[in-house]
Amino acid sequence: MRSTMAREPDSPWRSKRLPSTGGHQPSERVQRADPRAELRLYGFNAVRAAFARRPEALRKLYLTQARIPQLQLLLKWCVAHRIGYRVVEESDLQKLAASSHHEGVVADVLREEPLTLEAWLRDLPAGPQCAIWLDGVGNPHNLGAILRSAAHFGASAVLLPEHSELALSGAAARVAEGGAEAVRFVRLPSGDRAIARLREAGFGLAATVVEGGEDLFSAALPSRLIYVLGAEGEGMDRGLAAACDLRLSIPGSGAVESLNVASASAVLLAAWYPKR
């Protein structure tokens, strides 16, 4: 039996018309997109935010019948720009996303490369700015939650060390609920150069530590601020922490040792937000 994913010789891989709300499109199996070039997004807000900001990045779309009314603009774009889409079953989306949290839509989009530090600083407006430097953080759900908080509180970037393997995944984008499109990833040069360049641009760097830091809520936070957060479980590189201008701790009841990195980032950004 011929696969429903096969391309017709004289037409792009897509439905010829917008699917109606009746009827049923066949199930299908597809190969995963090349992770080096494309990103498989899933979740309604993640897909919608990517389409709103960079529709030209869309490569393929899969959705359930129930999502057709909410995604009419996206489907019309697919028709106008010869982008492949299919109406599929919930079970197909679960396989495509490798997750039950697909929320009725999966999209393959071109992966966005991190900015260089110089490019980010060049285009950064004057005035209050905040970004988060992630030193070793790797859990995709924590990354997604950090991106969501960063978007909510107006942080402009997540800064990645030179050799960090951290990258946006479908799981992180889904947890971010659209925040992944509002916050850019920035690739840093070696630590000393990055710190020097950030200070030249008017940023203060604040290491976040479990104990021994200044109380976050009483500290005088600079209006241009980089929060440096360490890896889950391992903490921050000591040399990096020592090079920062501030050491901050989040006070609490002591019933637990600390907040996880995602929860801590939300508290830290909320403390900075009045400066904005």
Side-chain angles (χ1 to χ4, degrees), residues 3-14:
S3 167
T4 58
M5 291 297 295
R7 289 176 180 265
E8 295 298 332
D10 58 350
S11 65
W13 174 82
R14 66 180 176 87

Side-chain angles (χ1 to χ4, degrees), residues 29-50:
R29 290 180 179 271
V30 299
Q31 293 182 346
R32 284 193 169 276
D34 180 354
R36 295 168 297 180
E38 294 186 5
L39 172 65
R40 178 153 289 172
L41 295 177
Y42 58 92
F44 183 70
N45 287 331
V47 172
R48 186 173 60 173

Side-chain angles (χ1 to χ4, degrees), residues 3-276:
S3 167
T4 58
M5 291 297 295
R7 289 176 180 265
E8 295 298 332
D10 58 350
S11 65
W13 174 82
R14 66 180 176 87
S15 300
K16 289 295 187 181
R17 295 172 294 177
L18 288 180
S20 66
T21 54
H24 167 68
Q25 296 286 337
S27 302
E28 60 190 350
R29 290 180 179 271
V30 299
Q31 293 182 346
R32 284 193 169 276
D34 180 354
R36 295 168 297 180
E38 294 186 5
L39 172 65
R40 178 153 289 172
L41 295 177
Y42 58 92
F44 183 70
N45 287 331
V47 172
R48 186 173 60 173
F51 173 67
R53 177 171 167 260
R54 46 192 189 106
E56 71 286 347
L58 183 65
R59 288 298 174 265
K60 293 185 182 73
L61 177 71
Y62 313 86
L63 70 162
T64 60
Q65 194 81 21
R67 278 298 186 193
I68 292 173
Q70 294 97 352
L71 295 171
Q72 284 291 306
L73 288 177
L74 205 165
L75 289 168
K76 289 176 181 177
W77 172 274
C78 288
V79 171
H81 295 84
R82 299 171 64 84
I83 301 297
Y85 68 86
R86 292 291 189 198
V87 179
V88 298
E89 295 295 315
E90 293 267 350
S91 59
D92 295 308
L93 289 184
Q94 187 163 342
K95 292 173 184 176
L96 288 162
S99 171
S100 60
H101 302 293
H102 52 72
E103 299 172 359
V105 61
V106 172
D108 289 339
V109 301
L110 290 178
R111 185 178 289 277
E112 193 168 38
E113 291 298 317
L115 295 171
T116 64
L117 179 59
E118 287 304 323
W120 176 63
L121 291 174
R122 181 190 64 227
D123 297 333
L124 202 61
Q129 295 290 337
C130 188
I132 292 180
W133 180 326
L134 296 182
D135 180 40
V137 175
N139 183 291
H141 292 90
N142 280 339
L143 175 60
I146 290 168
L147 289 169
R148 185 173 184 176
S149 296
H152 179 76
F153 290 111
S156 59
V158 165
L159 311 183
L160 304 175
E162 184 178 20
H163 300 297
S164 172
E165 296 181 359
L166 185 64
L168 185 66
S169 65
R174 198 273 304 173
V175 172
E177 293 286 354
E181 293 297 325
V183 182
R184 296 303 307 272
F185 284 85
V186 175
R187 181 71 64 189
L188 297 171
S190 65
D192 291 344
R193 289 172 53 207
I195 290 171
R197 188 67 188 89
L198 287 166
R199 285 184 175 138
E200 287 174 7
F203 283 97
L205 279 74
T208 55
V209 295
V210 174
E211 296 178 343
E214 187 176 357
D215 185 323
L216 170 68
F217 303 116
S218 61
L221 300 178
S223 62
R224 290 173 76 87
L225 176 62
I226 307 293
Y227 283 122
V228 185
L229 283 78
E232 304 94 338
E234 300 176 8
M236 189 186 313
D237 178 85
R238 291 189 177 186
L240 177 58
C244 290
D245 306 297
L246 299 170
R247 293 170 62 86
L248 300 174
S249 296
I250 300 173
S253 68
V256 293
E257 181 182 10
S258 64
L259 297 172
N260 79 355
V261 68
S263 299
S265 70
V267 175
L268 293 162
L269 290 166
W272 170 82
Y273 187 70
K275 296 283 186 182
R276 186 170 184 265

